[in-house]
Amino acid sequence: MWCRGVLRTVRRSSSQAGILLDVDGVLLRGGDVLPAARRAFRKLLDPNDNFLFPVVFVTNAGSCQRRDKAQQLSRLLDVQIVPEQVVLSHSPLQAMKTFHDKCVLVSGQGPVTHIARDLGFQNVVTMEQLSEHHPLLDMVEHNRKRSPSLPQIQAIILFGEPVRWETSLQLLIDVLLTNGRPGCMYDSHLSTQLPVLACNMDLVWMAEAPSPRFGHGMFLLCLEAAFRKLTGRELRYEAMLGKPSLMTYQYAEQLLQRQNHDHKISTVYAVGDNLMTDIYGANRYNQYLAQQHAAMTPPAKMAAQGPGSHVMVAEETPSAAQCRSILVCTGVYNPDSPMPSDQNALTETLVMEPDLLQPSHVVEDVEAAVDLMLQRESVVTSDLHDST
């Protein structure tokens, strides 16, 4: 039985690999563990339950905090996992300190106030508070009483898809078209738009149902369509976080390096089930790594992905030389149902490069992905031993 709360990773002197694992559709289907996941982890652990390689779980889930996700994965997989091994879609928001003192409206499921405050945001307003303060705005819930006054909204954070889409869409449009004063009349000719920070761009995700379910990316498409219809303009994002954003992969690689006691990791293996987030994000990061190493200069401070983004975070030099994408067939991706070309966009403002949708490897499940990685690393190890 493993011991909780202490991360123990074995750093193999002859190996320089790290693993990024998606969760839904790769390890889990809803609350059920995929059988291949249990077999894969038996191969990733030594007899003392230490990981053979640095491992980070990168999920676009955002309705909980890192410690809660770590506890859930530990319980379901029967493997010691600590918060420092988890990247949620909103985790990089910790680095966006310029927004931490602003009054932010948060949307999503779960303990959104606690999540926002844990990330560093000090002045948080929820959709429920906004609706209570402006009861005439919500035409779905008619029994609300007016709450104490709220400050002007200065930014919007979209953690994930809400429970009640119609209420959230209405209130978000109210805030956007009044520059943070939803009690006022619309001004569709505003010269500036409130900053919008969106986490999780998954159009669909895989749960227990036989077919994929709508994700936060689908909600964003609805919000974009409503905004465009009312204003004639495109909704602009100050930042887009979660896979496939570069910032999420950079953040995840930093966690791999820390597990590896700051020793160099040359190859990152990213395992996922979604072409448009997992594979595209890993390939885009691989492209970024190649550009940085070709230039042989420290990278500029990383900006969160988003058209016109001005959000800058701490400068970090990537260690890895490459990021290899591995697609599994146990989740969203179905080899018998090719993705139509007109779906090559996560949102109206983020059109994808088709070449980056091609995985480095396609395997049956996460066990096969681990087998592939172990095989590739053993070849490298043998070559190194033979040359000495």
Side-chain angles (χ1 to χ4, degrees):
M1 189 65 175
W2 44 264
C3 175
R4 295 182 183 273
V6 180
L7 177 59
R8 296 179 297 171
T9 304
V10 171
R11 185 179 66 82
R12 298 169 59 195
S13 59
S14 57
S15 176
Q16 298 176 329
I19 310 171
L20 303 181
L21 288 173
D22 183 31
V23 176
D24 294 304
V26 174
L27 305 177
L28 309 177
R29 287 283 293 267
D32 297 327
V33 179
L34 292 171
R38 297 193 186 280
R39 297 193 299 269
F41 276 95
R42 284 199 291 269
K43 297 178 179 182
L44 280 175
L45 297 173
D46 71 7
N48 295 319
D49 287 338
N50 296 307
F51 280 107
L52 296 174
F53 303 91
V55 175
V56 169
F57 300 84
V58 185
T59 172
N60 271 352
S63 60
C64 63
Q65 294 168 286
R66 292 171 69 187
R67 61 176 176 270
D68 299 322
K69 179 59 69 173
Q71 290 173 358
Q72 179 201 38
L73 292 173
S74 297
R75 174 176 51 82
L76 291 174
L77 299 171
D78 196 27
V79 175
Q80 177 199 356
I81 299 164
V82 297
E84 291 76 18
Q85 287 180 280
V86 175
V87 176
L88 303 173
S89 60
H90 51 63
S91 296
L93 285 172
Q94 288 180 309
M96 298 188 178
K97 299 184 184 299
T98 55
F99 288 95
H100 287 180
D101 62 349
K102 297 184 182 297
C103 179
V104 296
L105 174 66
V106 295
S107 169
Q109 299 182 35
V112 291
T113 300
H114 293 296
I115 292 171
R117 288 178 176 160
D118 190 55
L119 291 167
F121 296 92
Q122 303 164 20
N123 195 352
V124 180
V125 176
T126 66
M127 287 299 210
E128 290 72 21
Q129 290 172 319
L130 189 67
S131 184
E132 289 171 359
H133 182 67
H134 299 283
L136 297 181
L137 300 182
D138 184 358
M139 298 309 295
V140 177
E141 175 58 69
H142 298 277
N143 299 319
R144 296 188 182 277
K145 296 181 180 179
R146 189 178 180 89
S147 67
S149 62
L150 296 174
Q152 179 183 356
I153 304 298
Q154 297 173 293
I156 296 171
I157 300 178
L158 305 174
F159 283 130
E161 64 270 23
V163 175
R164 296 167 54 192
W165 286 33
E166 66 275 42
T167 293
S168 295
L169 287 170
Q170 177 70 75
L171 295 181
L172 287 169
I173 290 294
D174 290 337
V175 170
L176 286 166
L177 296 190
T178 60
N179 200 32
R181 300 181 179 90
C184 301
M185 292 184 62
Y186 284 1
D187 182 356
S188 58
H189 301 290
L190 286 170
S191 58
T192 60
Q193 180 202 296
L194 283 181
V196 178
L197 288 72
C199 308
N200 183 356
M201 293 168 269
D202 281 344
L203 284 178
V204 294
W205 65 288
M206 205 67 191
E208 295 95 337
S211 298
R213 303 294 86 192
F214 288 169
H216 192 218
M218 199 68 74
F219 176 79
L220 296 179
L221 286 176
C222 295
L223 178 61
E224 292 165 10
F227 186 85
R228 186 187 315 109
K229 195 71 174 179
L230 292 171
T231 67
R233 304 193 307 273
E234 297 294 337
L235 179 67
R236 292 182 293 105
Y237 295 97
E238 189 76 11
M240 302 181 78
L241 304 171
K243 297 175 290 187
S245 74
L246 287 177
M247 187 176 177
T248 292
Y249 285 87
Q250 185 190 44
Y251 185 81
E253 190 196 336
Q254 291 174 29
L255 296 185
L256 288 176
Q257 289 186 45
R258 290 172 193 167
Q259 283 185 51
N260 211 36
H261 311 294
D262 291 325
H263 288 86
K264 180 179 175 61
I265 291 176
S266 62
T267 302
V268 174
Y269 294 89
V271 184
D273 69 310
N274 193 322
L275 282 169
M276 300 172 71
T277 51
D278 302 312
I279 301 307
Y280 186 85
N283 289 343
R284 191 161 182 261
Y285 193 59
N286 183 61
Q287 183 183 70
Y288 162 77
L289 291 172
Q291 292 168 350
Q292 295 299 330
H293 284 283
M296 295 297 290
T297 57
K301 292 183 179 180
M302 175 66 72
Q305 179 177 331
S309 174
H310 303 291
V311 181
M312 308 302 279
V313 299
E315 183 174 322
E316 292 284 349
T317 301
S319 169
Q322 62 176 333
C323 179
R324 301 194 65 85
S325 58
I326 305 178
L327 179 66
V328 300
C329 304
T330 51
V332 169
Y333 174 71
N334 183 344
D336 297 324
S337 301
M339 184 183 66
S341 60
D342 61 357
Q343 288 187 13
N344 286 358
L346 286 171
T347 70
E348 292 296 330
T349 57
L350 181 58
V351 179
M352 315 191 86
E353 301 175 46
D355 290 348
L356 297 183
L357 290 167
Q358 301 299 319
S360 305
H361 310 276
V362 180
V363 297
E364 181 63 28
D365 52 35
V366 67
E367 182 187 20
V370 169
D371 288 340
L372 173 67
M373 189 210 70
L374 292 174
Q375 181 182 29
R376 287 181 59 87
E377 290 305 304
S378 67
V379 169
V380 173
T381 301
S382 297
D383 290 344
L384 287 173
H385 282 306
D386 292 342
S387 63
T388 57

